[in-house]
Amino acid sequence: MAALFGRRMRRGAASTAVAAAAMAALSASGAPSAVGEQPAASAADRPSAGASGQEDPSVTGDSPYHTDLPPLKGPGRNDPPDETPATGSAESGIPATVLDAYRKAEASLAASNPRCRVPWELLAAIGKVESGHARGGRLDTNGTTPSPILGPVLNGVGFANISDTDGGAYDGDTLHDRAVGPMQFIPQTWESWGRDGNGDGRRDPNNIYDAALAAGSYLCAHDRDLTVERDLHQAILGYNRSQEYLRTVLHWYDYYRKGAHEVPDGSQPAPGAPTGTGGTTPSPAPVRPGTPSPSPTKPGKPTKPSKPGDGSSSKPTPPPTTPPPTTPPPTTPPPTTPAPATRLVDLGDGALSAPAGERFAERPAVRAERADKKPASQAKVRFTLAGETGTTFEGGATTVTVTTKADGVAKAPALLAGGKPGALTIKATLLGTTEPVTLGLRGEVTAPRADKLVRTDETELTCEAGATFEGRIALTATRDGQAAPGVAATATVLAGADPADGEKAAEKGPYFLTPGDEPAEDRRTRELTLTTDAKGNLLLPELHTDDTTGTFRLRVETTGGAVVVLELKVTDPA
């Protein structure tokens, strides 16, 4: 019969021996740690994560985990661990949404990191051990847990000592960190490895799609190939540095590889509190506020009569002694719901600006504040782009939703300027309020620029007075080494060969003709504005000369400051 999830490995020495024997084929003695490439230390030997100068914490901060093992065949459950699970076994069932998240994470990583080859069954094994598949698949329609799944306070009492790193934004604790969500990420690890697995524009450790993809990404770190045993063990130990944890996850991994099936969300009982500690000996589950602590008893020991002379003993029984009071383990009150946000404040210094086709240097950012003007965490802010410039957020979207952190700041993704210069409005809307709260941020897409301008040939520019220069002058504009299309440029004929002669257009000498039906004398100009074509090329009109001889300069400058100065020589007629 399948074991209930609430059962624990610490049921007695006999059960532990059976479990150890069952996992012998899957364990690796002295498997290396994913952090320091050293054998994993026991809880007693390992320094507290997060302490100054010590190793970085694991994904979970070595929080407790569920130590249940998958059921083995046979009435005595003593069959070897390679037995195939019974078809339809309750323990081989995985809630539908959770299973979908594991499989989508596998597919996503197969495309983005094919070398890693992370199997969904491994994610399922870790999800089972960490949270019982999100408390038996208790999720909303988006795959998010209705209430956070929180590990114990990591205050160094029985667990790692990790001071708060997120201002309580994820775990509701501003003093110490706690593991959060179905895959039990501590906040500081989530900041580095959090992923958006369901495409809603945010990274939420309480969402099974985000958490499963983040877990897979972490397992694939350091260019690992999870089909290699050493890499597989390093990845799992990086999640929780414990040999017992490694063996437990490997056992579930092997179990799911031999058969698993989908069950409805919420159809399985929610698991009890986890008991693993990250060391070699499980410790009691954390006590919740208001829960009485049962007095310890020794199983199997007969109870002595409390009154003498009842026939059970020839000697009087000493009166019972009251054990000394014990100090209850520290508890943390449940996090309180923060006050809602009521207004938005623009954090920019003015209008955001970028040349067409380029990335904006700054990102739109606002701060959500409560009625007392303090920052509001976990507020949702929607950014929407308006205008005819073709500007989008990075990734191509024109609307994104961002959740504020402890500082109340919501920062939109980077902006990519469209190809059409003009005004741009970024509208920030505070969601979840009874009255609309909207803030308009100004932006502008300026003309495209070039950072380099070169002439395509080196032919000397010499012409007789009263004639036309042979050929037309061609140049190419680039930006960051790429062709710069649509860039405005100004071509000006300057008097004299020396910059000291001035930068104003010459009154005599070479000239261009503007289009039109007027006489040529009326269409003469020594200053033109042009635009590069789709390949960044700039072809100047024909350059004519009057009867003035001497040396002149032709200065061509683009938007962005790219400049070319060419020397023009006008000689006497032959």
Side-chain angles (χ1 to χ4, degrees):
M1 188 176 80
L4 294 177
F5 194 83
R7 295 176 181 169
R8 301 288 178 247
M9 282 179 61
R10 56 190 180 90
R11 294 175 57 191
S15 297
T16 303
V18 171
M23 291 185 290
L26 295 172
S27 64
S29 176
S33 167
V35 177
E37 301 297 328
Q38 299 294 329
S42 68
D45 298 332
R46 184 173 57 252
S48 297
S52 176
Q54 296 172 348
E55 61 179 316
D56 293 334
S58 61
V59 170
T60 63
D62 297 339
S63 290
Y65 53 88
H66 297 281
T67 57
D68 309 302
L69 298 178
L72 304 180
K73 282 187 175 181
R77 291 170 28 91
N78 290 325
D79 297 324
D82 58 353
E83 288 289 338
T84 303
T87 303
S89 166
E91 289 295 345
S92 64
I94 301 177
T97 300
V98 181
L99 180 59
D100 183 56
Y102 296 150
R103 286 174 168 163
K104 285 184 176 177
E106 177 192 56
S108 176
L109 290 165
S112 63
N113 190 355
R115 169 183 165 77
C116 179
R117 291 182 281 191
V118 58
W120 70 261
E121 293 91 344
L122 178 59
L123 297 175
I126 292 176
K128 176 74 168 178
V129 171
E130 292 296 342
S131 69
H133 300 312
R135 296 180 179 140
R138 283 157 176 78
L139 304 163
D140 64 17
T141 55
N142 296 319
T144 303
T145 59
S147 59
I149 299 176
L150 298 176
V153 179
L154 299 177
N155 57 5
V157 181
F159 310 110
N161 185 8
I162 305 178
S163 298
D164 175 62
T165 61
D166 66 330
Y170 292 125
D171 54 17
D173 192 327
T174 57
L175 294 179
H176 295 88
D177 274 347
R178 304 174 72 171
V180 181
M183 304 302 278
Q184 289 290 278
F185 276 83
I186 56 175
Q188 60 178 300
T189 309
W190 181 258
E191 280 300 309
S192 300
W193 292 96
R195 297 291 185 267
D196 178 12
N198 60 355
D200 64 354
R202 57 180 300 217
R203 303 178 305 157
D204 184 0
N206 298 298
N207 181 276
I208 185 60
Y209 290 96
D210 295 359
L213 183 58
S217 300
Y218 183 88
L219 295 171
C220 290
H222 307 301
D223 200 28
R224 293 190 183 108
D225 178 356
L226 298 184
T227 62
V228 176
E229 183 179 274
R230 175 182 172 85
D231 285 0
L232 175 64
H233 290 187
Q234 285 181 334
I236 298 172
L237 287 168
Y239 221 94
N240 191 311
R241 292 184 292 263
S242 160
Q243 291 296 326
E244 180 185 291
Y245 182 85
L246 171 65
R247 291 191 294 268
T248 305
V249 169
L250 286 174
H251 204 159
W252 280 107
Y253 174 40
D254 186 66
Y255 183 74
Y256 286 136
R257 289 173 64 191
K258 293 172 181 173
H261 63 282
E262 177 184 305
V263 296
D265 291 345
S267 62
Q268 294 177 321
T275 60
T277 65
T280 57
T281 304
S283 65
V287 179
R288 299 180 179 275
T291 303
S293 301
S295 301
T297 59
K298 296 182 179 180
K301 188 173 183 179
T303 303
K304 295 182 178 181
S306 58
K307 297 181 180 180
D310 61 356
S312 61
S313 174
S314 58
K315 297 181 180 180
T317 303
T321 60
T322 302
T326 59
T327 302
T331 59
T332 300
T336 58
T337 303
T342 59
R343 71 170 193 153
L344 294 175
V345 177
D346 183 7
L347 298 182
D349 296 329
L352 301 167
S353 178
E358 298 188 42
R359 182 191 299 267
F360 281 70
E362 297 182 11
R363 293 160 56 185
V366 298
R367 182 174 61 248
E369 294 184 347
R370 305 183 312 218
D372 57 5
K373 296 187 178 181
K374 291 184 178 180
S377 63
Q378 298 298 305
K380 295 183 183 297
V381 179
R382 183 174 60 210
F383 292 93
T384 305
L385 302 179
E388 302 297 328
T389 64
T391 300
T392 66
F393 292 109
E394 191 170 31
T398 57
T399 300
V400 295
T401 300
V402 179
T403 302
T404 63
K405 297 185 179 180
D407 58 3
V409 174
K411 186 174 288 188
L415 289 171
L416 301 179
K420 185 178 180 181
L424 171 70
T425 300
I426 307 101
K427 185 169 65 173
T429 303
L430 182 61
L431 304 180
T433 58
T434 54
E435 296 293 333
V437 178
T438 301
L439 191 65
L441 313 181
R442 294 181 295 112
E444 180 185 12
V445 176
T446 59
R449 66 177 182 89
D451 54 26
K452 189 173 183 180
L453 184 66
V454 296
R455 188 183 173 202
T456 57
D457 66 72
E458 298 181 358
T459 305
E460 188 178 59
L461 299 172
T462 302
C463 184
E464 296 178 359
T468 301
F469 282 83
E470 184 178 353
R472 296 169 63 181
I473 300 172
L475 305 102
T476 298
T478 58
R479 179 180 65 246
D480 299 329
Q482 303 295 321
V487 176
T490 301
T492 308
V493 178
L494 306 173
D498 194 323
D501 295 329
E503 299 295 319
K504 291 185 178 180
E507 295 180 357
K508 296 181 179 181
Y511 61 88
F512 301 104
L513 288 176
T514 61
D517 298 328
E518 297 84 358
E521 291 78 4
D522 297 334
R523 293 187 287 114
R524 291 184 180 183
T525 183
R526 293 179 174 85
E527 188 170 10
L528 281 179
T529 298
L530 307 166
T531 303
T532 60
D533 65 14
K535 295 183 179 180
N537 296 324
L538 195 66
L539 186 62
L540 275 59
E542 288 184 329
L543 192 59
H544 309 277
T545 66
D546 56 16
D547 56 3
T548 305
T549 60
T551 301
F552 301 85
R553 286 170 293 140
L554 175 63
R555 187 176 191 273
V556 183
E557 182 177 5
T558 69
T559 303
V563 178
V564 164
V565 178
L566 306 174
E567 187 175 77
L568 307 176
K569 293 182 179 180
V570 181
T571 63
D572 291 324

